[in-house]
Amino acid sequence: MTRRFALIGTGFFAQNHLHAWAEMDDVELVAVCDIDASRAAAAAAQFGGRAYTDARELFAAESLDFVDIATTPPTHRMMVELAAEHGVPPICQKPLAWEMADARAMVEACERTGIPFMVHENFRFQLPMRRIKALLEDGAIGRPFFGRVSFRTAHDVYSAQPWLVDSERMIIVDVAVHLFDLAMCFMGEPQSLVTEALRVNSRIVGEDVATVLMRMDDATCIVDASYETRSDHNTYPQTFVTLEGTEGAITLGPDYRLQVISRGRVLNETLEIPDHGWTSVPWNAIQDSVYTTQRHWLHCLDTGEEPETSGRRTLRLLDVTLGAYASLESGDRYVVGSMS
Ligand SMILES: NC(=O)c1ccc[n+]([C@@H]2O[C@H](COP(=O)([O-])OP(=O)(O)OC[C@H]3O[C@@H](n4cnc5c(N)ncnc54)[C@H](O)[C@@H]3O)[C@@H](O)[C@H]2O)c1
């Protein structure tokens, strides 16, 4: 079966979505939409489909099996509600929303219509992260009791994404959200968390350095992110992971070097990231994860399985993410679940 779909928001990151969809022979791009007419036209010219500048017109005119929403967060709710109104299952970029009420409204709109809804939360779909998850499920390190998930770079994220300069909430919703998702994927849900954050770059409005300490049942996990780290190696956009368990440890370091210590045995490996032709270093692991994320969505549409990162499940992730700001603002520990 070939699924007909549209993509809304043909900006910076959507180029990866478009390339990944173009690789698949079980989907057909029938329309693209962007309020910037030249961007919509360029995407249609390169990837196919009719170009729209108004999502309402697109939904009214096209018959779709799903829609891919890659606009920035302020329009996510409107787009998901529009999709639900038309009975079209949406996959929507992260962060789902900047407010819990918006996220809840999106989930409820899809549940009312009875359509699947997935958040494009792609970091857990990176090849090294799938590998780590499988190792944990195999019990390679026993019960994890400590974790660290870290993303630190001095890469200029603002030239490709100028909207980040004015975002009042920045690195926590932009990148720590992915790291929280990884921490929860590896170690389960936290009960509480404490945040410290700073703005180092005075040119921007929000925070660009953040450290969050999460407390799980029997474990702690540090999530730390920075866009101002001038270290001796440029590892953008790689995420580093440390996990310590009762039977061993897992370390994912620079350039996808994975070390697994399991019951005294040491395994060192450099992971190979698949090349898709359109992918390139240094973005390749992220780009490959876009492909895998999108394939997961199609698998869920085929089987009726709930996506790993469904809208409903993402409410918990958003609670943690927005809870990080609540802790920052109050100076207190945030009890997870207070918002969701
Ligand atoms: N998962 C990842 O690894 C990753 C990486 C980068 C960005 N993102 C996410 O992708 C999303 C987009 O970010 P970006 O940096 O590509 O932004 P962008 O500004 O480059 O692209 C967004 C596009 O949406 C269009 N748009 C805005 N409002 C619209 C509307 N009402 N109708 C139609 N089009 C509209 C804009 O004109 C723009 O072209 C964000 O949610 C961001 O957090 C995810």
Side-chain angles (χ1 to χ4, degrees), residues 3-7 21 26-28 30 59 63-68 88-91 294 297-298 301:
R3 292 184 194 277
R4 295 161 53 82
F5 78 103
L7 183 142
W21 292 125
D26 52 351
V27 294
E28 181 192 349
V30 296
F59 279 108
S63 148
L64 302 171
D65 295 314
F66 71 91
V67 62
D68 186 10
V88 177
I91 173 168
Q294 293 176 180
W297 169 239
L298 295 176
L301 290 179

Side-chain angles (χ1 to χ4, degrees), residues 94-223:
K94 55 51 69 174
L96 185 51
W98 284 334
E99 301 294 339
M100 207 63 201
D102 291 329
R104 228 180 268 122
M106 291 182 231
V107 171
E108 283 163 10
C110 292
E111 287 181 350
R112 258 198 314 277
T113 319
I115 50 173
F117 173 26
M118 175 169 163
V119 179
H120 186 120
E121 179 43 78
N122 54 317
F123 272 36
R124 65 163 65 205
F125 290 100
Q126 288 182 55
L127 181 138
M129 307 309 171
R130 295 317 258 183
R131 186 62 178 279
I132 291 173
K133 179 71 175 167
L135 285 162
L136 290 171
E137 283 173 355
D138 283 352
I141 63 164
R143 181 181 63 73
F145 60 84
F146 172 79
R148 181 178 176 200
V149 187
S150 179
F151 187 105
R152 312 190 76 82
T153 182
H155 179 83
D156 171 22
V157 292
Y158 308 107
S159 52
Q161 298 177 280
W163 59 278
L164 291 176
V165 171
D166 304 317
S167 295
E168 272 176 36
R169 292 177 165 186
M170 214 278 283
I171 202 167
I172 293 176
V173 264
D174 190 50
V175 97
V177 63
H178 292 301
L179 313 183
F180 293 138
D181 185 57
L182 287 172
M184 290 161 75
C185 175
F186 297 151
M187 303 184 71
E189 281 195 11
Q191 297 161 340
S192 64
L193 56 84
V194 181
T195 311
E196 292 291 350
L198 302 165
R199 182 179 61 224
V200 175
N201 180 346
S202 56
R203 200 167 65 83
I204 69 159
V205 174
E207 79 290 348
D208 51 10
V209 174
T211 307
V212 180
L213 174 61
M214 305 163 92
R215 171 72 209 229
M216 281 81 174
D217 257 346
D218 267 339
T220 55
C221 182
I222 297 165
V223 154

